[in-house]
Amino acid sequence: MLIDFPETEVIAYYTLSAYTVEITELNSSLAKGLPRYPLLPATLLGRLAVDRDYRGQHLGELMLIDALKKALEATASVASLAVIAEAIDETAANFYRKYGFQECQDNSSKLYLPMKSINELCQSLNI
Ligand SMILES: CC(C)(COP(=O)(O)OP(=O)(O)OC[C@H]1O[C@@H](n2cnc3c(N)ncnc32)[C@H](O)[C@@H]1OP(=O)(O)O)[C@@H](O)C(=O)NCCC(=O)NCCS
């Protein structure tokens, strides 16, 4: 959660939670190297949002990268192969696509970014 200081107004937020994804939902190139269990561990990025008055200042990007980094760090203890985002509409899906998220098979509102890509992103940002 991002809070405007010294006010106490919430200007942006997201949630992360443990999730599972069906192997059939993933792109075949990612699914290829994975164990053939029907359900695989993932991390759900719950609705990420920035207050309307604060949009366009890269706070959405800041929150997304913060969420991806936290999800990656958590894999030191709990397995997760990707971060999944459920976009509320096409505009939201486009925001995630900009950062490399791909659509799940048969569900264009559900997108994922493999943990390997998140690791590369964090390394490139030196965070
Ligand atoms: C989507 C949302 C989080 C973006 O937040 P924001 O702070 O306005 O976005 P940012 O300023 O961080 O944008 C970062 C980059 O993404 C781009 N971008 C922002 N929203 C975008 C969208 N919907 N589609 C494509 N690109 C988008 C910006 O142009 C910017 O690009 P740049 O780096 O080339 O300048 C915000 O509009 C929001 O809260 N929307 C309502 C809720 C929502 O749709 N959440 C998404 C998940 S359900």
Side-chain angles (χ1 to χ4, degrees):
M1 194 182 295
L2 197 60
I3 297 176
D4 191 15
F5 183 82
E7 312 297 331
T8 52
E9 186 186 358
V10 175
I11 57 180
Y13 59 85
Y14 67 79
T15 61
L16 289 175
S17 48
Y19 196 60
T20 55
V21 62
E22 292 184 31
I23 195 162
T24 52
E25 292 179 278
L26 303 172
N27 181 305
S28 56
S29 63
L30 175 63
K32 203 161 52 181
L34 298 172
R36 306 303 299 172
Y37 300 125
L39 292 177
L40 294 164
T43 306
L44 179 67
L45 173 57
R47 190 178 169 190
L48 179 154
V50 176
D51 183 296
R52 283 182 197 283
D53 291 344
Y54 293 85
R55 289 185 194 168
Q57 301 176 47
H58 285 93
L59 294 179
E61 178 176 88
L62 181 80
M63 296 300 277
L64 177 62
I65 291 172
D66 187 65
L68 297 177
K69 183 169 182 274
K70 283 198 169 71
L72 178 66
E73 287 169 349
T75 62
S77 314
V78 183
S80 171
L81 64 93
V83 168
I84 313 287
E86 286 179 346
I88 47 170
D89 56 26
E90 192 55 20
T91 308
N94 283 337
F95 175 73
Y96 289 123
R97 286 190 194 107
K98 178 177 167 59
Y99 294 93
F101 279 75
Q102 302 168 49
E103 288 161 25
C104 287
Q105 307 277 351
D106 303 327
N107 187 348
S108 60
S109 65
K110 196 167 171 183
L111 300 104
Y112 69 94
L113 189 62
M115 218 42 91
K116 186 170 175 291
S117 305
I118 297 171
N119 191 25
E120 288 165 4
L121 175 70
C122 290
Q123 282 186 6
S124 72
L125 295 172
N126 208 14
I127 55 172

